[in-house]
Amino acid sequence: MTEQQPAVALEGIVKRFGAVTAVHAMDISIEEGAFVTLLGPSGCGKTTTLRMIAGLLSPSQGDIRIKGRSVTATPIHKRNLGLVFQNYALFPHKTIFDNVAFGLKYRDVGRREITDRVQKALDLVQLPGVGDRHPAQLSGGQQQRIALARAIVIEPDVLLLDEPLSALDANLREDMRVELKRIQEQLGITTIFVTHDQSEALAMSDKVVVMRSGHVEQVGAPEDVYVNPASAFVARFLGNANLIPATVKGRDGDHVIAEVAGVGSVPVPALRAAKLQPGDAAALVVRAERLQLVEQPGDVPEGMIARKATVTAVDYQGQAARYFIDFCGHSIQALNPIGTAPLRAGARVTAVLDSNHCVLVPPEKHP
Amino acid sequence: MDGRASAMRPWLLLSPALATVTLLLVVPVMFILVYSFWLRTATGADTSGFHLDNWIEVLTDPFYRDILFKTLRIALVTTLFCIVLGYVPAYFIAMSRTGNKTLLLLLLILPFWISYIIRTMSWINILGASGGLNSLLLTLGIISEPMRLLYNEGSVILGLVHFLLPFMVLNVYVSLEAIDRNLLDAARSLGASDLQAFREVTLPLSMPGLAAGALLCFVLSAGTYITPVVLGGPRDAMFANLVFDAIITQLDWPLGSALSIVLLVVLGSVVLVYNRLVGVGQIAKSFG
Ligand SMILES: Nc1ncnc2c1ncn2[C@@H]1O[C@H](COP(=O)(O)OP(=O)(O)OP(=O)(O)O)[C@@H](O)[C@H]1O
Ligand SMILES: [Mg+2]
């Protein structure tokens, strides 16, 4: 029975700050060993959620369970969690060794074993020789590795990271991303990672929780939320998506037919049409990289939708280009690899669309 | 620009400050130093020259040595009280909400708007024979005749602590305020209780402020002469009172000069030792 227990479960968690509700009735269940990302724009309640799991904030309502045990009333220092902060939060007055050894002092660990475990943790983050230094003598990336070593050396039940990479510069961030994932897999430690960077979330997670103003918008594997966004918000937040207003016309076998002004009927796989009913207003999600621009209209494959389009602007990105096009009266974007030369603004092209890769979501609500 | 000119630049830029410091600090101290080698004759006139008489008297007479030691002892006790009594409110202010913080800091600074002498004298109304405390206890019948609470070393220390506490609170507050709250959260998440996190993180990181506050309290109380005059008895003179006596009462400027140089050297050494251990820069922070 304990086998099936999720490592972390949030049950109806609500957090209010006075009149502000930062988190609304949140339910999440996280399996043992999973790498879960809380993803969402600034102010959506990611940090608040993480701090409630950590025990730094107590929920206004609901229950938090770690390995099946309710910890809502457990003070932070008895929860056995590893916490990593955006600004590293290393103790500036202690050596690296003492920083990493800090948590072991409060556990029943002998002096010899402390030395061994600290050394092992420093090896794991590939900084074996820095034990005698002070945090100020390390670079930002190194400090964040030490912060990670300090959090994992206590063998926590869950590792909680709040935007741990966002203080690092771009190149280092990508290295650390790989590094962090390697360590997490090696230790098999349940990890909750907070970020507002969608590429981090997609690259690292087993499961992404997309949040929006205190609500969970969608939960799923990275591919799942990317390919099958459940809402216009998720589609926009992850990657480069065009949202074209549409109306649901009807059903045709396992396809839902959407009517798009200027384009005509677009059959979308029923699985990707949410729970929309005929007659509903909807938004057709077209990924920019799924919209192909060709100069010769001759070679349009069977079953594709091809329409005339005009390139209005070009955003050259080296290996690819982002084209702003006028597509049957809709201003949308297409992201295409560059063949011999990028298209020029003003070019008349044919835009080819595989409707099997389109998604229908409820339309965006404009407040 | 050649090398010498560019080496001169910082000094040129500093020159207004250097001129001010020289004019207002170095020159007067030099005058005092020169004066200390003059001699006051029986007729009351000072004879210039190089006489060691004052110095021999100051450095060999146990009277001066005893008062110097007593002064340092009072300064030390005052400082210890300020450390213990100042840390708690500083911690309280640093941990309170931003809105309340401004108010609390304002309340802390408020007494500075009232003259230090008035503040010191206010204790006479509280502790005097017919002061508030004695009246209250007499009325309540707890004592049958007024207690002698004033004009002893205790009341001098009380007055000094009252005067210096805000300096300590401000210094400690500044260093507490600079501590990243995430450090405490990190310590707590690693298994430290509130108290352990305080001991391992907050206390050591507030040490520079505590040390700076302690230095200020020590130096200011060792150099005081008003508090012993107002709140001390005839036998509670501190070292600065000797200087006052020599110069104002006995009109013996050369002796007073020698005495004040002694105090300057002793307190200067304390600052130097402190600078070795902590660094004097910390003090500037609480005023910055
Ligand atoms: N202590 C607090 N008092 C009042 N409101 C708060 C408090 N902490 C957070 N909030 C509010 O709760 C909401 C969620 O904040 P939170 O810090 O969880 O956002 P976040 O998703 O982590 O954002 P970011 O990406 O900017 O870190 C915000 O609207 C914020 O203003
Ligand atoms: Mg945050």
Side-chain angles (χ1 to χ4, degrees):
Chain A
M1 152 199 159
T2 44
E3 293 285 296
Q4 270 78 34
Q5 294 276 3
V8 180
L10 305 189
E11 294 166 0
I13 289 298
V14 176
K15 181 66 191 178
R16 291 184 212 96
F17 294 107
V20 182
T21 306
V23 175
H24 302 263
M26 176 113 118
D27 290 290
I28 308 179
S29 162
I30 294 168
E31 304 86 70
E32 188 72 48
F35 192 114
V36 174
T37 299
L38 304 184
L39 174 68
S42 185
C44 71
K46 308 177 297 281
T47 298
T48 306
T49 307
L50 198 78
R51 290 175 76 82
M52 284 191 284
I53 301 172
L56 291 165
L57 284 176
S58 53
S60 311
Q61 230 171 285
D63 196 25
I64 298 171
R65 296 174 167 276
I66 293 178
K67 298 198 160 156
R69 196 165 45 90
S70 170
V71 296
T72 316
T74 310
I76 169 169
H77 63 293
K78 304 235 169 83
R79 288 196 188 186
N80 196 37
L81 305 171
L83 210 50
V84 178
F85 299 86
Q86 179 178 345
N87 69 349
Y88 327 130
L90 296 178
F91 306 124
H93 57 301
K94 291 179 184 287
T95 61
I96 298 304
F97 182 93
D98 288 339
N99 263 280
V100 179
F102 191 88
L104 296 174
K105 277 197 301 194
Y106 303 105
R107 288 161 173 79
D108 216 1
V109 181
R111 188 160 298 175
R112 171 82 57 79
E113 199 191 334
I114 289 184
T115 315
D116 285 352
R117 280 170 68 173
V118 169
Q119 195 50 52
K120 240 188 242 157
L122 290 179
D123 287 344
L124 191 66
V125 297
Q126 301 185 333
L127 285 172
V130 299
D132 299 332
R133 293 200 221 163
H134 277 84
Q137 294 166 289
L138 299 183
S139 72
Q142 290 173 324
Q143 290 189 48
Q144 195 55 298
R145 283 162 196 255
I146 298 302
L148 184 62
R150 180 178 69 178
I152 58 181
V153 78
I154 59 170
E155 296 174 358
D157 292 332
V158 185
L159 185 60
L160 305 171
L161 308 109
D162 193 355
E163 311 214 18
L165 308 181
S166 52
L168 307 175
D169 63 49
N171 284 331
L172 197 56
R173 200 181 307 168
E174 306 221 328
D175 291 347
M176 273 299 283
R177 196 150 111 179
V178 177
E179 182 81 5
L180 181 58
K181 188 66 188 156
R182 172 184 70 79
I183 291 167
Q184 190 267 336
E185 270 169 2
Q186 195 169 331
L187 298 174
I189 185 172
T190 312
T191 302
I192 304 178
F193 182 93
V194 161
T195 184
H196 59 255
D197 180 334
Q198 44 118 351
S199 64
E200 260 172 28
L202 294 176
M204 301 171 78
S205 326
D206 299 316
K207 191 152 104 177
V208 180
V209 178
V210 185
M211 292 176 65
R212 177 198 196 180
S213 46
H215 294 277
V216 173
E217 194 83 3
Q218 189 175 4
V219 181
E223 227 185 285
D224 211 25
V225 290
Y226 187 81
V227 175
N228 267 329
S231 66
F233 173 81
V234 176
R236 274 204 197 286
F237 197 72
L238 289 162
N240 212 335
N242 299 298
L243 270 75
I244 307 173
T247 319
V248 180
K249 227 166 59 176
R251 235 167 204 279
D252 174 17
D254 51 2
H255 282 75
V256 169
I257 311 297
E259 179 70 22
V260 181
V263 180
S265 298
V266 180
V268 176
L271 283 172
R272 299 188 172 190
K275 289 156 204 127
L276 292 164
Q277 297 303 316
D280 286 355
L284 182 73
V285 180
V286 180
R287 290 276 172 210
E289 70 274 14
R290 291 285 179 193
L291 193 64
Q292 218 187 329
L293 304 185
V294 293
E295 282 175 295
Q296 268 78 42
D299 21 76
V300 173
E302 188 73 20
M304 299 267 185
I305 294 170
R307 297 288 182 276
K308 292 251 175 289
T310 315
V311 177
T312 55
V314 183
D315 177 21
Y316 178 69
Q317 296 178 347
Q319 79 281 30
R322 192 151 56 105
Y323 299 105
F324 295 82
I325 59 170
D326 180 43
F327 177 74
C328 309
H330 305 283
S331 297
I332 60 173
Q333 301 175 17
L335 185 70
N336 282 189
I338 294 169
T340 40
L343 299 166
R344 278 167 295 103
R348 301 192 169 278
V349 293
T350 303
V352 183
L353 175 65
D354 181 351
S355 64
N356 282 319
H357 286 128
C358 291
V359 181
L360 269 180
V361 295
E364 284 173 291
K365 288 183 242 17
H366 293 288
Chain B
M1 192 188 285
D2 67 286
R4 261 193 55 203
S6 64
M8 288 291 292
R9 251 184 99 89
W11 294 107
L12 281 174
L13 290 171
L14 273 175
S15 55
L18 287 176
T20 313
V21 168
T22 311
L23 210 65
L24 296 180
L25 271 168
V26 180
V27 171
V29 169
M30 284 305 144
F31 271 125
I32 294 176
L33 188 65
V34 170
Y35 238 121
S36 72
F37 292 103
W38 289 16
L39 201 60
R40 190 181 137 90
T41 55
T43 61
D46 296 336
T47 44
S48 58
F50 188 77
H51 306 279
L52 286 174
D53 305 42
N54 289 321
W55 281 102
I56 291 169
E57 185 184 345
V58 167
L59 295 178
T60 55
D61 192 335
F63 172 72
Y64 296 119
R65 188 198 57 206
D66 290 348
I67 291 197
L68 180 63
F69 284 161
K70 189 172 96 183
T71 300
L72 296 179
R73 192 188 68 228
I74 290 178
L76 191 68
V77 173
T78 302
T79 305
L80 291 177
F81 271 112
C82 284
I83 288 175
V84 175
L85 296 177
Y87 201 96
V88 180
Y91 186 85
F92 180 76
I93 298 173
M95 296 301 150
S96 53
R97 293 157 171 275
T98 330
N100 299 345
K101 229 175 248 182
T102 329
L103 181 69
L104 290 170
L105 284 172
L106 193 72
L107 286 176
L108 186 71
I109 298 174
L110 209 60
F112 286 106
W113 296 350
I114 304 167
S115 153
Y116 156 47
I117 300 180
I118 306 278
R119 271 183 287 149
T120 308
M121 287 172 71
S122 69
W123 285 105
I124 298 174
N125 292 325
I126 299 171
L127 301 179
S130 53
L133 189 63
N134 273 321
S135 310
L136 181 71
L137 293 179
L138 282 170
T139 319
L140 292 177
I142 295 173
I143 51 173
S144 54
E145 57 187 82
M147 294 185 293
R148 276 194 55 84
L149 300 169
L150 274 180
Y151 311 123
N152 51 45
E153 196 175 306
S155 56
V156 172
I157 291 174
L158 180 70
L160 285 172
V161 170
H162 176 210
F163 164 48
L164 294 168
L165 207 52
F167 293 97
M168 178 61 87
V169 175
L170 276 180
N171 272 282
V172 175
Y173 166 77
V174 167
S175 63
L176 283 172
E177 191 58 25
I179 298 175
D180 175 8
R181 293 297 141 83
N182 283 343
L183 294 181
L184 290 174
D185 292 345
R188 299 277 281 115
S189 78
L190 290 165
S193 66
D194 264 327
L195 200 64
Q196 285 162 329
F198 174 79
R199 215 182 48 216
E200 290 278 348
V201 180
T202 313
L203 189 58
L205 289 178
S206 63
M207 269 331 224
L210 200 63
L215 180 71
L216 273 179
C217 287
F218 186 85
V219 171
L220 289 176
S221 49
T224 188
Y225 75 97
I226 290 186
T227 312
V229 167
V230 178
L231 295 177
R235 294 192 295 148
D236 294 314
M238 288 170 69
F239 204 82
N241 298 107
L242 298 182
V243 179
F244 183 88
D245 264 8
I247 292 180
I248 306 292
T249 317
Q250 298 162 30
L251 293 174
D252 190 343
W253 284 55
L255 178 66
S257 300
L259 286 170
S260 52
I261 296 279
V262 168
L263 191 59
L264 184 71
V265 169
V266 169
L267 296 184
S269 321
V270 172
V271 175
L272 284 181
V273 169
Y274 169 91
N275 192 29
R276 259 296 167 77
L277 299 178
V278 191
V280 104
Q282 177 67 30
I283 295 182
K285 281 191 202 157
S286 66
F287 297 108

